Every structure is written in C-alpha cells, then in structure tokens.
C-alpha cells in the first residue's frame, strides 16, 4: 500500500517530540500498532485516527485523510495478504470457492482459467506463486489457528473436473486430520444463512485490533471499524452455530472426495 499517510503521521509524531510508546499511551493503543501505521502495514480505524489527531494536536487531519474506500482490489488484497501473515487466528468463510490458503495448485489454475479476457501464462504463474506462498503459513505447527466455514456449494462445484476436485478435497481432509485446521460445512439443507452474500476472512492479532476482509466480484475491502468488525464476527458465529460439527463435516469431506474419485 502507499505509505504517504504513514510517512506524514510519523513526521507529526517526531515534530511533537513523542516516542512511539509515548504516543501509544496518549492515544490508548499499542506501540506496535503505531509502528505498523507508520510503516504502511496498517491503517487506523476512524476512532483510532480521531484519538491520534487529539494526541498529536493535528485537528482532524488524520481522520479526514484516511485512504478512501474505493481503493483498487489489488491494493486492498495486498493489505489483506500482509495482515494474513501477521495473524494469530484466522477464520475463513467460503461461499463458492475453496479459500486461497487451502487451494491446491491445480485447483488454483482451474479457477484462474475462468477469467475473460484470459490471464497470460506469466500472470497465472505469478498469482499461483503468490497463493502458494500464502499457504506456507500452514507449515507452522500451531500459529495461526485456522478455522474454516465452507458452504456446501464449495464442495459440489466441480472446479477443474472430478480429478482436480478429488485432490483438492483430500488436501483439506489431510489438514483437518493433522489437526492443523478445523473445517465446518454449512449444508444445503440449511437454506439461507447470515454469510451468503460474500466470502469473508476474520483475523485476530497478538498486538493489534481484529479486522475483517470481505470479497465479491471486482470488489474487496479490509474492515477495521471496531463496531462493524464486531457485527461481522457475530454473523460468522451465528452461521458457525448452524454448521455441521467437525466430525460430521470431516465425514462429508471424505465422502465427497470418494465420489469425485469414483466419477466416470
């Protein structure tokens, strides 16, 4: 992301003669949160920006000049990708496609092949490498803790054909069996549910406020307003309460993989 905002913010802190810790104390936030804002890794919520304006005596400049919501999808996703690498807990909801960090390479390429105009081979390779790099967070034995909520449509949509889907679903099964992730399936029979409008990622951090990331066609957004994040978390928890338990979800995943393997 552009760091014009973070650079100006740092200049104001230095001009005020404050250390990061002194400013954090005055604005009621953590020093590392100040550091992330200055480095361009995070943007403050509007409430954070208001408190920072007050602590730095900058009027309403930090509040007024927060980056606008219509930032390009690629930039917004880069924000989310960086946050994903810092998260200690990640909760995913997928409406129609397997979440990126759980995707196999062949599944990724099948998803990318649906673009029109088509991606070039070089562009596809770049995106695949980026997603495979993201998935390396699962190589760590514990952190981040990853919970995944899948609409059953994710399992029934034969992306790339039966062979690709069998491999993809078995990959998820292995992650669950290894206790690296928890997966719960929202069955078709449930009908409407609170998360059916878009995919969603919730992230928690050791020393930063939680955020939510939502994505739909040609649109993506990182949400860090505390009230909105809390409402999104509540919707996730409501949907999770209606999902199949872990044991039943795992049984459905295994049966689905077997069905794809036996497909004529």
């Amino acid at each position: 992301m552009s760091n014009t905002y973070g650079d100006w913010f740092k200049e104001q802190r230095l001009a005020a003669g404050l250390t990061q810790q002194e400013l954090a104390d005055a604005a009621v936030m953590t020093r590392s949160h100040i550091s992330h804002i200055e480095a361009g890794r995070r943007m403050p919520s509007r409430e954070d920006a208001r408190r920072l304006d007050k602590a730095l005596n900058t009027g309403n400049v930090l509040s007024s000049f927060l980056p606008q919501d219509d930032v390009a999808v690629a930039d917004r996703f880069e924000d989310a990708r960086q946050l994903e690498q810092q998260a200690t807990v990640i909760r995913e909801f997928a409406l129609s496609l397997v979440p990126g960090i759980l995707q196999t390479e062949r599944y990724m390429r099948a998803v990318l092949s649906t673009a029109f105009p088509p991606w070039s081979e070089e562009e596809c390779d770049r995106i695949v490498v980026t997603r495979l790099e993201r998935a390396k967070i699962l190589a760590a034995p514990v952190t981040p803790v990853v919970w995944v909520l899948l609409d059953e449509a994710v399992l029934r949509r034969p992306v790339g054909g039966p062979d690709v889907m069998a491999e993809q679903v078995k990959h998820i099964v292995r992650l669950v069996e290894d206790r690296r992730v928890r997966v719960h399936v929202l069955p078709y029979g449930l009908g409407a549910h609170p998360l059916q409008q878009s995919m969603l990622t919730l992230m928690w951090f050791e020393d930063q406020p939680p955020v939510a990331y939502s994505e739909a066609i040609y649109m993506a957004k990182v949400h860090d307003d505390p009230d909105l994040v809390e409402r999104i978390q509540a919707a996730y928890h409501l949907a999770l309460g209606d999902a199949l338990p872990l044991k039943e979800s795992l049984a459905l995943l295994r049966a689905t993989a077997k069905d794809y393997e036996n497909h004529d």
Side-chain angles (χ1 to χ4, degrees), residues 47-264:
E47 176 59 25
D48 286 345
R50 185 191 65 77
R51 294 201 306 271
L52 289 167
D53 271 327
K54 183 177 180 180
L56 291 169
N57 196 29
T58 49
N60 65 349
V61 176
L62 290 166
S63 303
S64 299
F65 289 93
L66 280 170
Q68 297 301 303
D69 291 343
D70 58 353
V71 175
V73 169
D75 293 337
R76 278 298 182 186
F77 179 74
E78 178 59 21
D79 293 355
R81 188 190 68 80
Q82 292 184 21
L83 291 168
E84 188 177 66
Q85 301 302 307
Q86 302 168 36
T88 56
V89 177
I90 297 174
R91 291 195 174 188
E92 296 267 14
F93 165 69
L95 181 63
S96 59
L97 296 172
V98 172
I101 60 174
L102 302 185
Q103 290 180 4
T104 63
E105 181 173 347
R106 290 205 299 163
Y107 186 95
M108 293 176 198
R109 292 189 182 278
V111 172
L112 294 173
S113 71
T114 64
F116 189 84
W119 297 99
S120 69
E121 185 175 343
E122 293 77 13
E123 289 172 321
C124 284
D125 287 343
R126 177 179 57 80
I127 295 170
V128 167
V129 168
T130 298
R131 289 191 185 177
L132 291 175
E133 284 294 317
R134 288 174 55 206
K136 287 182 179 179
I137 62 175
L138 297 178
V142 178
T143 305
V145 175
V146 178
W147 287 39
V148 180
L149 185 56
L150 298 177
D151 193 290
E152 189 175 349
V154 175
L155 306 179
R156 302 305 180 193
R157 188 177 304 282
V159 174
D163 188 50
V164 170
M165 284 300 298
E167 178 187 58
Q168 174 63 76
V169 178
K170 286 194 293 183
H171 174 64
I172 298 173
V173 168
R174 283 193 295 273
L175 290 170
V176 176
E177 289 175 338
D178 291 343
R179 301 180 65 183
R180 186 59 189 85
V181 304
R182 288 181 66 95
V183 174
H184 297 269
V185 177
L186 279 165
Y188 272 144
L190 176 64
H193 59 78
L195 299 179
Q196 61 188 9
Q197 297 183 26
S198 69
M199 67 78 63
L200 173 68
T201 302
L202 295 167
M203 290 176 274
W204 285 261
F205 308 89
E206 184 176 331
D207 55 5
Q208 305 172 48
V211 302
Y213 170 73
S214 60
E215 187 176 305
I217 186 167
Y218 302 127
M219 294 180 289
K221 191 173 188 305
V222 174
H223 310 274
D224 59 6
D225 177 82
D227 290 338
L228 178 58
V229 171
E230 187 174 348
R231 292 203 303 273
I232 294 172
Q233 290 172 350
Y236 187 98
H237 294 150
L238 281 172
L240 183 60
D242 288 331
L244 296 177
L246 178 64
K247 185 176 181 179
E248 293 179 28
S249 295
L250 183 56
L252 177 58
L253 287 165
R254 288 172 176 152
T256 302
K258 187 174 182 179
D259 287 344
Y260 279 122
E261 286 181 320
N262 294 336
H263 192 278
D264 293 333

